[in-house]
Amino acid sequence: MPPMNAPSSPVLRSLVTGTPPHSALQSEVQAAARTLFPRMSERRQMLDVFANAQIERRALSRPLEWYLEPRGFAEKNAVFLEEARTLIVRLSREALRQAELSPADVDAVVVVNTSGLSTPSLDAFLIGALGINPHAARLPIWGLGCAGGASGLARAADLVRAGYRRVLYVAVELCSLTLVRGDESKSNFVGTALFADGGAALVVTAPEVPGPPPLLSLHGAFSTLIEDSEDIMGWDVVDDGLKVRFSRDIPTLVHSMMRENVAQALAAQGWTREDVQTFVVHPGGVKVVAAYEQALGLPDGALDSSRAVLRKYGNMSSATVLFVLAEVLRQRPQGRGLLSAMGPGFSAEHVLLDFAPQA
């Protein structure tokens, strides 16, 4: 059982990001799409999606040519298990090292993913592979998509507040493996232009736990599920795997709701928009980032970190916002921040941050 009198302000001790070993330029993926989707590729407007995505390169779980051959759900999911396990072990070891903790110190493990299936869940594998305490609490989270990176961070902080003093949190997504070859739907084509593979591992602890200086503290979270919106984004399960579904204009939705939603998230903790200096936003696409920027009236450059991650890595679903957080931390921010992501549900997730003062 967790100890009594849990702390109220968990802190982030380490954050490590990484990708599988293979990668491709966006121009190479576009050329592959011509082979995979000949009918859609005849439409100039659809081919422009690749250039408009403003992605330069992204990581893949297999060499690009592997995706050109027919692959069933079972084969793709087997690759997911192999590559996801390898990646989360590597990232978690480094996150624990940077947090100056041993695997035996971990009290709870949170693992977020949406792009592959595993039973037992990935956290069970991770505990065995690293030698984590077998009595550690386990929280596998599946199905939150792009919103999962923010939600997983919030749940890791909740576990610390509940008394689990050292929490390992991992998000891993291998979105390239959800490609459905021959599916000439607009959703699948757009997904091919955006989706990529990557993962992140973080250690969240109680503030009194010995270790390196905290990177930031976590001051609450806010979740919103939009009524009658499950059609907006998600997976349809087909014989060839997880088929992406986009059914509405997500940037327009972000633009219409985000100002009020952010105000509600901040007010729940007694904060105001003026209190927040730094915004850490999941880059679902360039239009989504622009819509967020416009809705909040952010100055030029406020979301450059989101754009940089999208350009260098593509959309890695839940892991992406944690890559953005790593990018922001390299800039040594001060004051308060807000981490935000949206995903299937349709939902919005926000985490309130206070960046540790720098020496």
Side-chain angles (χ1 to χ4, degrees):
M1 294 294 291
M4 301 297 290
N5 301 319
S8 58
S9 298
V11 297
L12 180 65
R13 297 287 185 175
S14 65
L15 167 56
V16 178
T17 60
T19 61
H22 308 285
S23 68
L25 294 169
Q26 182 76 329
S27 59
E28 295 171 330
V29 179
Q30 183 183 30
R34 289 178 179 271
T35 299
L36 292 167
F37 313 115
R39 181 176 59 81
M40 292 294 284
S41 297
E42 290 177 355
R43 298 166 57 183
R44 177 69 187 181
Q45 182 181 5
M46 293 308 302
L47 275 180
D48 287 345
V49 169
F50 285 87
N52 295 338
Q54 296 181 22
I55 296 169
E56 294 177 357
R57 179 182 287 276
R58 47 203 154 121
L60 304 172
S61 295
R62 288 290 185 265
L64 182 59
E65 55 269 22
W66 183 88
Y67 298 86
L68 300 180
E69 299 298 326
R71 309 287 178 184
F73 194 5
E75 181 180 6
K76 288 189 284 188
N77 202 69
V79 172
F80 172 84
L81 290 175
E82 176 186 345
E83 295 299 332
R85 288 176 170 186
T86 299
L87 186 58
I88 64 175
V89 167
R90 171 166 61 88
L91 298 178
S92 297
R93 281 180 174 149
E94 179 60 18
L96 290 172
R97 187 194 68 79
Q98 291 186 15
E100 299 177 6
L101 296 175
S102 71
D105 294 324
V106 174
D107 300 312
V109 178
V110 178
V111 176
V112 167
N113 82 282
T114 303
S115 49
L117 304 178
S118 177
T119 304
S121 49
L122 290 172
D123 51 286
F125 167 80
L126 190 58
I127 287 173
L130 293 182
I132 291 172
N133 178 1
H135 304 293
R138 296 167 50 202
L139 181 58
I141 301 175
W142 196 92
L144 294 181
C146 298
S151 183
L153 182 60
R155 300 293 80 78
D158 286 342
L159 283 168
V160 173
R161 294 186 187 99
Y164 298 92
R165 289 156 49 88
R166 304 168 185 87
V167 178
L168 174 63
Y169 163 41
V170 176
V172 60
E173 303 288 5
L174 306 182
C175 301
S176 72
L177 298 173
T178 66
L179 170 73
V180 177
R181 186 181 183 277
D183 170 24
E184 301 243 9
S185 67
K186 182 177 179 180
S187 292
N188 193 44
F189 198 84
V190 171
T192 303
L194 290 174
F195 285 158
D197 301 349
L202 305 82
V203 173
V204 180
T205 75
E208 67 272 16
V209 169
L215 301 173
L216 56 84
S217 57
L218 298 148
H219 290 267
F222 192 80
S223 301
T224 302
L225 183 64
I226 301 170
E227 186 176 0
D228 297 327
S229 64
E230 66 179 54
D231 66 306
I232 293 177
M233 177 189 296
W235 300 129
D236 292 321
V237 180
V238 298
D239 288 345
D240 290 335
L242 302 174
K243 175 184 174 181
V244 69
R245 179 175 69 251
F246 302 124
S247 68
R248 297 194 214 171
D249 185 349
I250 296 172
T252 298
L253 179 63
V254 171
H255 191 274
S256 66
M257 69 166 283
M258 196 50 63
R259 185 179 184 86
E260 180 181 358
N261 191 246
V262 164
Q264 292 174 330
L266 297 175
Q269 296 296 321
W271 292 14
T272 67
R273 166 67 181 80
E274 290 69 31
D275 292 327
V276 179
Q277 291 81 47
T278 303
F279 289 85
V280 182
V281 177
H282 168 73
V286 290
K287 291 183 178 179
V288 173
V289 175
Y292 193 102
E293 214 166 38
Q294 293 162 10
L296 296 185
L298 298 180
D300 290 345
L303 299 184
D304 280 356
S305 294
S306 296
R307 290 187 171 92
V309 167
L310 185 65
R311 183 174 64 254
K312 293 187 285 187
Y313 297 100
N315 185 342
M316 302 166 286
S317 191
S318 67
T320 320
V321 76
L322 303 175
F323 276 67
V324 178
L325 180 57
E327 185 81 12
V328 167
L329 286 169
R330 282 191 280 272
Q331 300 165 20
R332 303 173 69 85
Q334 298 287 316
R336 291 175 169 177
L338 184 71
L339 183 145
S340 302
M342 303 185 76
F346 193 69
S347 61
E349 298 284 342
H350 305 285
V351 183
L352 284 68
L353 314 173
D354 197 355
F355 293 99
Q358 302 291 330

